[in-house]
Amino acid sequence: MSTVTFEPSGKTVVVENGTDVLAAARAAGLEFDSPCGGKGTCGNCGVRVVAGDVVDESRGVLTHAAVAHGYVLACRARVTDTPVTIYLPETFELEGARILADDETYLVRPELLLKDWQYDPIVVKWLVHVAPAETLDGFSDLDRLIRAMRREWGNQEIVCSFGVVRELPETLRAEEGVVTVTVVRDGERFSVIRCEPGNQTTRLYAIAVDVGTTTVAVQLINLATRKILATRSAYNDQIKCGLDVISRINYAGRPGGLKELRNRVRETINRLVAEACRSNDIAPREVSSAVVSGNTTMNHLLLGITPEYLRLAPYTPAALEIPSLTAREVGIEINRDARVYFSPNSGSYVGGDITAGLLCTELSANTDDIQLFMDIGTNAEVVVGNRDFLMSCACSAGPAFEGGGIHCGMRAALGAIEKVDVDPATGRAAYSTIGGVPPRGICGTGVIECLANLLMTGWIDPAGKLDRSGRSPAIEYEGRRARYVIATAEESATGEAIFVSELDFENVIRAKAAIYSACALLLQQIGIGFEDLTRIYIAGGFGRFLDLEKAMTIGLVPDFPRDRFHFIGNASLMGSYQVVISQDYRQDQMKLARRMTYIDLSVMPGYMDEYTAALFLPHTNQDRFPTIKERIMASNKDDGWRPQTRFEGVQTRS
Amino acid sequence: MSTVTFEPSGKTVVVENGTDVLAAARAAGLEFDSPCGGKGTCGNCGVRVVAGDVVDESRGVLTHAAVAHGYVLACRARVTDTPVTIYLPETFELEGARILADDETYLVRPELLLKDWQYDPIVVKWLVHVAPAETLDGFSDLDRLIRAMRREWGNQEIVCSFGVVRELPETLRAEEGVVTVTVVRDGERFSVIRCEPGNQTTRLYAIAVDVGTTTVAVQLINLATRKILATRSAYNDQIKCGLDVISRINYAGRPGGLKELRNRVRETINRLVAEACRSNDIAPREVSSAVVSGNTTMNHLLLGITPEYLRLAPYTPAALEIPSLTAREVGIEINRDARVYFSPNSGSYVGGDITAGLLCTELSANTDDIQLFMDIGTNAEVVVGNRDFLMSCACSAGPAFEGGGIHCGMRAALGAIEKVDVDPATGRAAYSTIGGVPPRGICGTGVIECLANLLMTGWIDPAGKLDRSGRSPAIEYEGRRARYVIATAEESATGEAIFVSELDFENVIRAKAAIYSACALLLQQIGIGFEDLTRIYIAGGFGRFLDLEKAMTIGLVPDFPRDRFHFIGNASLMGSYQVVISQDYRQDQMKLARRMTYIDLSVMPGYMDEYTAALFLPHTNQDRFPTIKERIMASNKDDGWRPQTRFEGVQTRS
């Protein structure tokens, strides 16, 4: 018998083992439609397993992401003899479901994922029954293992890693020849990287790693159930060696610099992997594959390859498609023979994070519609295209949007100010923090909110200068220095006031100018405008929290029909997950990487003009932001404030 | 101009660069026949390059071994601008040439080597011209390398090891794109394991390693010239953990025992590799392939695999065909990505040393003639067969023939007594040592000589008991203990007398009995006798020095027409050399390993009887050794001495 608890209703029912969840729900008095009659084809009865486990036979109907987050079809999932808790929402709605994954919030948009994905991970586990040895039969332990595998999976080339061979005598004899092999399928070649006694097929784990210049994120995945077990992120320890890619490259040129950078990022990754494993009672050596997605420079540094020639003309990377490596070679502390697959880089400035991120979009889908993808990070990349072409460019935005290089900046973690309202009359801030605890700092979206609201209420001008009239107690100034205080020393958890200085705002404005002008120039190069785009994807670790209206207000994204924007969060990490889970995605990604054409903006005429023009809020040419312009005009009508600008339609503040 | 010196005549001549050696020799007044007129087809003008180098275009005519030892055809070898020394014997004779290679002497019998061998080593070096990078051309350094290689060698799958990729930016730029790649060709797949700036194609080195239970031998080979640069051997450091295979297996079962054994043999190998490299000014990292041949237990121990199940029924090895490994995995201190190929084991008791050794024989040649191969080592193996069948057996002989387990025993190295004559009248020894220096001990062949001559002169009886009449000052005895003193304390380099005790002789008798009875039983199993064999190959580290007549006298080998015996020395090492140099041999070896059928003597009826009967000198049934019997009778006619025996034809000593 099995105890099944349903949430949020709290109803509990005891049913026989093997009962399907649909029948259990009905026994508990919970009703929902099952148009296909329990055949597992309509997808109407999707529910989420919160605790415990079920035998899941769901197929095809549920999206990839739904499965990843624990969804099963109630009619195709059977309970076992362990208690299970099922989340059964009143109105089941998966589209845009907000998935809370540990310390980060990720928005997953399953409709963006490849529809006909197939569960086909890089690494699989198989149960093998090895026949016992007979006296001097001429077969070694290895021969017996290979024969047993061939009987089951055909006459493949089977190669066992040294570690497997070394332990084989004990492994084969521990459970009378019943072993579980972990296999990397590389075309017609099977590589056995692990062999365990007994049936361990349900314990197959992988990690997806997003290596950003500022932030590193790691996801632990149960490949057997496709569930994401944990997500962990932290600042890249390399930050201490420079805030952006160029300063890291310079640092790598010092004696011992490259080695230090390599060790720092490895330590960051290994710390996150260890935490994610620990929280799930999984030994790191049980993790048998990894997909790493990072920009080209980050990939070089993680591998200890000099990035020098990425910086010097003709800007040549050592490798775009990194050969498949072992965890031991890369220095990631999981199973030493685990395969580490690097998302392929497309060019020197468009890396594996972008080819992973594009897997969460329809940019190269079979359509004439032109779409745009922007990944907002320390290094920002923009890709535009459709089935016929894919063009990309990159720019350095700096770490401001991730809280880096901002005096009171921090990551979007517990205690970070993420919402800031500004009182039009007094200029005072009303704020809220992640987790509702006393503030410890301000994250990137908090700074953007703050800047947008200060602009909208007239306490900052389009050039990013704070009001020095003394009318607001929140604005402190002395000579050329001014700052906007959000939380006082008494309110803050650190005992010091939390503020944003004009210098901080300048960093943000430079960052948004770089990104906006990159988009504009790339489109100009192709000969189209923003209005020709059917969709804009915005990716980045902070994507989930970003308020589109605020991003538009400061001119980070174009003023554009709101429904064409899609925030896809940390697309690099989500794309890595997809590659872990299905070789279909891996092939798509390789095609994407090879198809993209890189445009070097810095050598384009008009580059500096476009950038300089974007150094205002929202833009020097406010006609590019008609709805924002209108709202600024409206909000300032009453008190006569006008944003300062050299251009017609907006007048200098008196 | 080039200076050419000829040995042993010492004549020197200065000739133009590009002159062939034949012309140079004639210019120096040295004549020899060139029946083919200098076309390189008759092979008559083989000479050996002692120092310096020539441009060698010799093809086909010279045997594999001849090339390995520096022989070239004088008519096809051209001098360059560096001085060169040529050895030009008065009567050029390669058959049975005694090649002095450093601290060991190896007899190479080139007629035994595969006739149509092809130079096709596991690892090759190629010169590659890589095109320069162009601005954002979309090609990484790795792409450029692979494109350049494909242009030259076809559209192969090319995989670069991580170390190569990591160093690639600097390597490609050091000599303007000219690099030398070290490539492992594995079917259709090319693995680049090293990439160096500039043209380094002549610096391609390999090692052949024979891992014996008692002795380890290493050969350093220049793959570019196929020459053996150095041979080094030493006792296997594992000796301290047990003298034979069974005691090693027991030792491996102790806590930490396996690890210790692994480290000990690795240290032995690495010490020999380092010495061989040092003596040739070669950095160990320039060695890019290795072939290791050892018995099945030695292979397990070197790889750190438990040998436990080799000892317990049903006697199953972990692996017979060891997967291709890297030097780093094996722990051999050469290039870390170097390929280490293990000669395949045929069974639990017939290992890679035997499959390597058989490459030096014609056992599986296309003939009905039945031949026998015996490898005399601590573990002795016997193989008999022809093109239709191959059967093998093994026995433990103990380390006596390598000087192990003998009180004053030592390896066949400088100072070892290798010849012992016995004065019939006084029983006193007349001895000679390797190198003619004062004796430090006695090697295996010395003990055999000593025993044979003591028997022939009547100072020891067929049961191995020394004469206790007090007539010989060389025989010291006290109760059950007796010993034969060969060198006095004054003569010896150690300050202590060098003797052989009855206990030592017993070890030798047990060893020879095990080997002889194994041969006899194996033949009996097939239903033939010694007389049906057309050839007997005797392999073993001591093979070169062994006097056939003495071996027959003590009954180690059958009494048999002398011209059917072939001593082939350390065949395991020579076979390893062949595998290093040509993949043809590698394939042959795999076929040999798979074809052999193992016979477990210990379960055969009559095994103990056969063994016990062989515990006499030469044998209990002296009719099996008719010529020896006759000689013993003849030599003892004068003084009335008769070997003690229970059998007819020989009477008990009075």
Side-chain angles (χ1 to χ4, degrees):
Chain A
M1 303 301 279
S2 172
T3 308
V4 187
T5 308
F6 290 93
E7 288 186 348
S9 66
K11 290 187 180 162
T12 293
V13 69
V14 176
V15 294
E16 297 223 341
N17 292 355
T19 305
D20 65 51
V21 174
L22 184 61
R26 284 177 177 157
L30 297 160
E31 281 297 328
F32 51 106
D33 284 347
S34 174
C36 74
K39 293 199 185 72
T41 54
C42 72
N44 229 52
C45 63
V47 295
R48 194 159 141 246
V49 180
V50 177
D53 231 330
V54 295
V55 178
D56 176 24
E57 293 167 354
S58 309
R59 283 285 177 281
V61 179
L62 285 178
T63 63
H64 186 191
V67 174
H69 291 93
Y71 284 93
V72 295
L73 293 181
C75 69
R76 306 299 293 168
R78 300 179 183 283
V79 299
T80 63
D81 53 3
T82 53
V84 63
T85 305
I86 305 284
Y87 184 75
L88 190 155
E90 284 178 40
T91 307
F92 178 69
E93 199 222 336
L94 190 61
E95 293 286 298
R98 192 171 185 265
I99 310 293
L100 269 167
D102 303 303
D103 71 340
E104 293 287 319
T105 304
Y106 287 93
L107 184 78
V108 178
R109 300 189 64 92
E111 82 278 12
L112 301 181
L113 302 179
L114 198 67
K115 288 301 183 292
D116 51 351
W117 70 279
Q118 224 186 331
Y119 174 69
D120 182 21
I122 295 173
V123 174
V124 292
K125 264 190 172 184
W126 290 332
L127 186 66
V128 187
H129 293 267
V130 179
E134 286 169 33
T135 301
L136 297 171
D137 58 4
F139 295 119
S140 66
D141 290 340
L142 184 58
D143 294 332
R144 291 190 294 132
L145 175 68
I146 289 175
R147 281 158 60 93
M149 286 180 67
R150 287 205 172 128
R151 209 160 40 229
E152 206 68 48
W153 293 281
N155 209 24
Q156 304 278 346
E157 185 189 352
I158 297 176
V159 182
C160 288
S161 75
F162 180 44
V164 169
V165 177
R166 208 159 72 181
E167 303 299 330
L168 204 53
E170 304 297 358
T171 311
L172 281 190
R173 285 162 184 84
E175 304 251 359
E176 296 181 329
V178 177
V179 296
T180 303
V181 288
T182 307
V183 178
V184 181
R185 290 165 307 155
D186 190 7
E188 290 299 291
R189 189 186 170 108
F190 290 170
S191 298
V192 180
I193 61 168
R194 197 171 181 220
C195 184
E196 301 159 90
N199 186 345
Q200 299 289 338
T201 48
T202 59
R203 297 188 72 82
L204 178 61
Y205 304 102
I207 51 168
V209 184
D210 167 49
V211 185
T213 309
T214 302
T215 306
V216 175
V218 167
Q219 224 163 40
L220 176 66
I221 299 147
N222 181 341
L223 281 182
T225 61
R226 302 152 225 189
K227 274 188 209 168
I228 295 166
L229 301 179
T231 306
R232 290 284 184 280
S233 66
Y235 276 144
N236 185 337
D237 268 1
Q238 290 179 343
I239 284 180
K240 289 150 196 157
C241 309
L243 288 181
D244 58 19
V245 159
I246 293 300
S247 55
R248 303 275 170 86
I249 294 177
N250 289 338
Y251 195 91
R254 298 189 192 183
L258 178 58
K259 197 173 169 194
E260 180 184 344
L261 287 167
R262 184 180 194 199
N263 287 340
R264 282 181 179 277
V265 68
R266 289 205 287 205
E267 278 161 23
T268 307
I269 293 171
N270 287 331
R271 202 169 58 238
L272 295 173
V273 171
E275 279 173 23
C277 285
R278 200 181 311 120
S279 69
N280 282 274
D281 267 336
I282 291 166
R285 69 162 191 285
E286 294 193 77
V287 178
S288 48
S289 64
V291 170
V292 175
S293 304
N295 66 50
T296 311
T297 303
M298 287 303 118
N299 287 337
H300 277 63
L301 295 179
L302 173 56
L303 294 173
I305 303 173
T306 177
E308 183 71 3
Y309 304 101
L310 289 171
R311 187 178 60 96
L312 302 175
Y315 319 110
T316 311
L320 292 170
E321 297 164 17
I322 315 274
S324 179
L325 299 172
T326 62
R328 184 160 113 149
E329 286 175 310
V330 184
I332 298 183
E333 290 162 1
I334 52 177
N335 187 312
R336 51 194 262 155
D337 291 316
R339 281 298 183 283
V340 181
Y341 177 78
F342 279 77
S343 287
N345 304 300
S346 172
S348 298
Y349 303 115
V350 177
D353 51 346
I354 302 307
T355 61
L358 286 173
L359 290 176
C360 306
T361 76
E362 288 183 334
L363 244 75
S364 67
N366 193 20
T367 169
D368 287 334
D369 292 355
I370 300 174
Q371 304 186 340
L372 184 137
F373 168 87
M374 51 203 283
D375 187 359
I376 301 177
T378 308
N379 225 47
E381 294 90 354
V382 181
V383 183
V384 64
N386 62 8
R387 68 175 159 205
D388 297 323
F389 74 96
L390 274 181
M391 298 188 93
S392 60
C393 69
C395 61
S396 179
F401 293 136
E402 290 161 85
I406 302 291
H407 195 276
C408 298
M410 68 176 284
R411 286 194 319 122
L414 198 73
I417 293 173
E418 61 166 350
K419 288 209 163 295
V420 184
D421 275 326
V422 177
D423 182 337
T426 65
R428 277 185 205 273
Y431 62 87
S432 64
T433 65
I434 296 178
V437 298
R440 295 196 299 123
I442 184 164
C443 67
T445 44
V447 177
I448 291 172
E449 281 243 345
C450 179
L451 182 58
N453 288 331
L454 284 171
L455 180 72
M456 208 53 84
T457 53
W459 293 104
I460 207 165
D461 71 12
K465 295 290 168 205
L466 286 161
D467 180 285
R468 279 172 165 74
S469 66
R471 287 187 295 146
S472 172
I475 298 173
E476 299 174 351
Y477 57 97
E478 189 191 332
R480 296 184 61 178
R481 290 183 192 158
R483 61 191 202 178
Y484 180 68
V485 178
I486 300 169
T488 63
E490 291 74 37
E491 293 162 14
S492 108
T494 61
E496 288 182 22
I498 293 165
F499 61 87
V500 186
S501 71
E502 275 182 355
L503 212 63
D504 296 335
F505 285 132
E506 251 173 57
N507 281 335
V508 172
I509 291 169
R510 273 203 295 268
K512 75 96 187 172
I515 293 169
Y516 177 86
S517 57
C519 291
L521 271 162
L522 187 62
L523 294 184
Q524 187 186 312
Q525 183 72 4
I526 304 165
I528 62 170
F530 283 110
E531 63 283 3
D532 297 312
L533 299 174
T534 58
R535 190 173 274 183
I536 295 182
Y537 294 97
I538 298 180
F542 77 117
R544 166 63 190 89
F545 300 100
L546 188 63
D547 182 318
L548 180 59
E549 219 49 56
K550 309 297 177 198
M552 233 174 247
T553 303
I554 70 164
L556 169 60
V557 299
D559 188 348
F560 194 72
R562 277 49 175 174
D563 61 358
R564 293 198 203 165
F565 281 93
H566 288 70
F567 286 99
I568 53 174
N570 187 333
S572 167
L573 191 61
M574 195 62 203
S576 305
Y577 167 84
Q578 291 167 241
V579 173
V580 161
I581 222 85
S582 174
Q583 307 222 50
D584 286 355
Y585 284 111
R586 189 171 157 182
Q587 284 168 18
D588 286 357
Q589 189 183 32
M590 195 60 84
K591 280 185 216 147
L592 277 170
R594 291 176 180 173
R595 268 187 61 196
M596 250 184 285
T597 310
Y598 181 78
I599 305 289
D600 185 2
L601 295 182
S602 65
V603 301
M604 275 180 64
Y607 171 69
M608 275 314 289
D609 291 345
E610 185 69 44
Y611 172 68
T612 311
L615 285 172
F616 279 72
L617 299 171
H619 194 273
T620 309
N621 179 0
Q622 303 226 354
D623 289 335
R624 289 206 191 176
F625 288 79
T627 68
I628 301 300
K629 175 177 169 185
E630 197 177 301
R631 283 185 49 223
I632 293 177
M633 303 288 269
S635 67
N636 289 297
K637 219 170 6 205
D638 303 331
D639 66 354
W641 179 90
R642 293 292 178 278
Q644 176 181 31
T645 172
R646 292 167 293 180
F647 290 83
E648 174 268 322
V650 189
Q651 278 131 42
T652 309
R653 195 178 178 195
S654 59
Chain B
M1 301 301 278
S2 172
T3 308
V4 187
T5 308
F6 291 95
E7 289 187 349
S9 66
K11 291 188 178 162
T12 294
V13 67
V14 177
V15 295
E16 297 224 340
N17 293 354
T19 305
D20 64 53
V21 174
L22 185 62
R26 286 179 175 157
L30 298 160
E31 281 297 329
F32 51 105
D33 283 349
S34 175
C36 74
K39 293 199 183 74
T41 54
C42 71
N44 229 51
C45 64
V47 295
R48 192 158 142 249
V49 181
V50 177
D53 232 332
V54 296
V55 178
D56 175 23
E57 294 166 354
S58 308
R59 284 284 177 280
V61 178
L62 283 179
T63 65
H64 186 194
V67 174
H69 291 95
Y71 285 93
V72 296
L73 293 179
C75 68
R76 307 298 292 169
R78 300 180 184 283
V79 300
T80 63
D81 53 4
T82 53
V84 65
T85 305
I86 304 284
Y87 183 76
L88 191 154
E90 283 179 43
T91 308
F92 177 70
E93 199 222 337
L94 190 60
E95 294 284 300
R98 193 172 185 266
I99 310 292
L100 268 168
D102 303 304
D103 70 343
E104 294 287 318
T105 304
Y106 288 91
L107 183 77
V108 179
R109 299 190 65 90
E111 82 278 12
L112 302 180
L113 302 178
L114 200 66
K115 289 300 183 295
D116 50 351
W117 71 280
Q118 222 185 335
Y119 174 69
D120 181 22
I122 295 173
V123 174
V124 293
K125 265 190 170 183
W126 289 332
L127 187 65
V128 186
H129 293 267
V130 178
E134 286 170 33
T135 301
L136 296 172
D137 57 5
F139 294 118
S140 66
D141 290 340
L142 183 57
D143 294 332
R144 291 189 295 132
L145 175 67
I146 289 175
R147 281 159 59 93
M149 286 180 67
R150 288 207 171 124
R151 207 160 42 229
E152 206 66 46
W153 293 282
N155 208 23
Q156 304 278 347
E157 184 190 352
I158 297 175
V159 181
C160 289
S161 75
F162 179 44
V164 169
V165 177
R166 206 160 74 181
E167 304 298 329
L168 204 53
E170 305 297 358
T171 311
L172 282 189
R173 286 164 184 83
E175 302 252 358
E176 295 180 330
V178 177
V179 295
T180 303
V181 287
T182 306
V183 177
V184 180
R185 291 164 308 155
D186 189 8
E188 290 300 291
R189 189 185 170 109
F190 290 171
S191 297
V192 180
I193 61 168
R194 198 170 180 220
C195 184
E196 302 159 89
N199 186 346
Q200 298 290 337
T201 48
T202 59
R203 297 188 72 81
L204 177 60
Y205 304 102
I207 52 168
V209 184
D210 167 49
V211 185
T213 308
T214 302
T215 306
V216 174
V218 166
Q219 223 163 41
L220 176 66
I221 300 147
N222 181 341
L223 281 182
T225 62
R226 302 152 225 189
K227 274 189 210 168
I228 295 166
L229 301 178
T231 306
R232 289 285 185 277
S233 66
Y235 275 144
N236 184 337
D237 268 359
Q238 291 180 340
I239 284 181
K240 289 151 196 157
C241 309
L243 288 180
D244 57 21
V245 159
I246 294 300
S247 55
R248 303 276 168 86
I249 294 178
N250 289 336
Y251 195 91
R254 298 188 191 183
L258 178 58
K259 196 174 170 194
E260 181 185 343
L261 288 167
R262 184 180 195 198
N263 288 340
R264 282 182 178 277
V265 67
R266 289 204 288 206
E267 276 162 25
T268 307
I269 294 171
N270 288 331
R271 202 171 59 238
L272 295 173
V273 171
E275 279 173 22
C277 286
R278 200 180 314 120
S279 70
N280 283 274
D281 266 336
I282 291 166
R285 70 164 191 285
E286 294 193 78
V287 178
S288 47
S289 63
V291 170
V292 176
S293 305
N295 66 50
T296 312
T297 303
M298 287 303 117
N299 287 337
H300 277 62
L301 295 179
L302 173 56
L303 294 172
I305 302 173
T306 176
E308 183 70 2
Y309 304 101
L310 289 171
R311 186 178 60 96
L312 302 176
Y315 320 109
T316 312
L320 291 170
E321 297 165 15
I322 314 274
S324 179
L325 299 172
T326 62
R328 184 160 113 149
E329 286 175 307
V330 184
I332 298 183
E333 288 162 3
I334 52 177
N335 186 312
R336 50 194 262 154
D337 292 316
R339 279 302 182 281
V340 180
Y341 176 79
F342 279 76
S343 287
N345 304 300
S346 173
S348 299
Y349 304 115
V350 177
D353 51 346
I354 302 306
T355 61
L358 286 173
L359 291 176
C360 306
T361 76
E362 287 183 335
L363 245 73
S364 67
N366 194 20
T367 169
D368 287 332
D369 291 355
I370 301 176
Q371 304 187 341
L372 184 137
F373 167 88
M374 51 203 286
D375 188 1
I376 301 177
T378 308
N379 225 47
E381 295 91 354
V382 181
V383 183
V384 64
N386 63 8
R387 68 174 156 205
D388 297 322
F389 74 97
L390 273 182
M391 298 188 93
S392 61
C393 69
C395 61
S396 179
F401 293 138
E402 290 160 86
I406 301 291
H407 194 277
C408 297
M410 68 175 287
R411 288 193 317 121
L414 198 72
I417 293 173
E418 61 165 351
K419 289 208 163 294
V420 183
D421 275 326
V422 177
D423 182 335
T426 65
R428 280 185 202 274
Y431 62 87
S432 65
T433 64
I434 296 178
V437 297
R440 295 195 299 124
I442 183 164
C443 67
T445 45
V447 177
I448 291 171
E449 282 241 345
C450 179
L451 181 59
N453 288 332
L454 283 171
L455 180 73
M456 207 52 85
T457 53
W459 292 106
I460 206 165
D461 71 12
K465 296 291 166 201
L466 286 162
D467 180 283
R468 279 171 165 74
S469 66
R471 287 188 295 147
S472 171
I475 298 174
E476 300 174 352
Y477 58 97
E478 189 191 332
R480 298 186 59 179
R481 291 186 191 153
R483 61 191 203 178
Y484 180 67
V485 178
I486 300 168
T488 63
E490 292 72 41
E491 294 164 12
S492 110
T494 62
E496 287 179 25
I498 293 165
F499 61 86
V500 185
S501 71
E502 276 182 354
L503 213 63
D504 296 336
F505 286 132
E506 252 174 56
N507 282 335
V508 172
I509 292 169
R510 272 203 296 269
K512 76 96 187 172
I515 293 169
Y516 177 85
S517 57
C519 292
L521 272 162
L522 187 63
L523 295 183
Q524 186 185 315
Q525 183 72 4
I526 304 165
I528 62 170
F530 282 112
E531 64 282 5
D532 297 313
L533 300 173
T534 58
R535 190 173 276 184
I536 295 184
Y537 295 98
I538 299 179
F542 76 116
R544 166 64 190 90
F545 300 101
L546 187 63
D547 182 317
L548 179 59
E549 222 47 59
K550 309 297 177 196
M552 234 173 248
T553 303
I554 69 163
L556 168 61
V557 300
D559 188 346
F560 193 74
R562 277 50 173 173
D563 61 357
R564 296 198 202 165
F565 282 93
H566 288 71
F567 286 100
I568 53 175
N570 188 335
S572 167
L573 191 62
M574 195 63 204
S576 307
Y577 167 85
Q578 291 168 240
V579 174
V580 161
I581 222 86
S582 173
Q583 307 222 49
D584 286 354
Y585 284 111
R586 189 170 157 183
Q587 284 167 19
D588 287 355
Q589 190 183 32
M590 194 60 83
K591 280 185 217 148
L592 278 170
R594 292 176 180 172
R595 268 187 62 196
M596 249 183 284
T597 309
Y598 181 77
I599 306 289
D600 185 2
L601 297 183
S602 65
V603 301
M604 275 181 63
Y607 170 70
M608 275 313 290
D609 291 346
E610 185 68 45
Y611 171 68
T612 310
L615 285 172
F616 279 72
L617 297 171
H619 195 270
T620 309
N621 181 358
Q622 302 225 358
D623 290 336
R624 289 205 192 175
F625 289 79
T627 67
I628 301 300
K629 177 178 168 184
E630 196 176 303
R631 283 185 48 223
I632 293 175
M633 305 285 271
S635 66
N636 289 297
K637 220 169 10 202
D638 303 331
D639 65 356
W641 178 91
R642 292 292 176 277
Q644 177 181 31
T645 172
R646 290 166 297 182
F647 290 84
E648 173 268 322
V650 187
Q651 281 130 42
T652 310
R653 193 177 178 195
S654 59

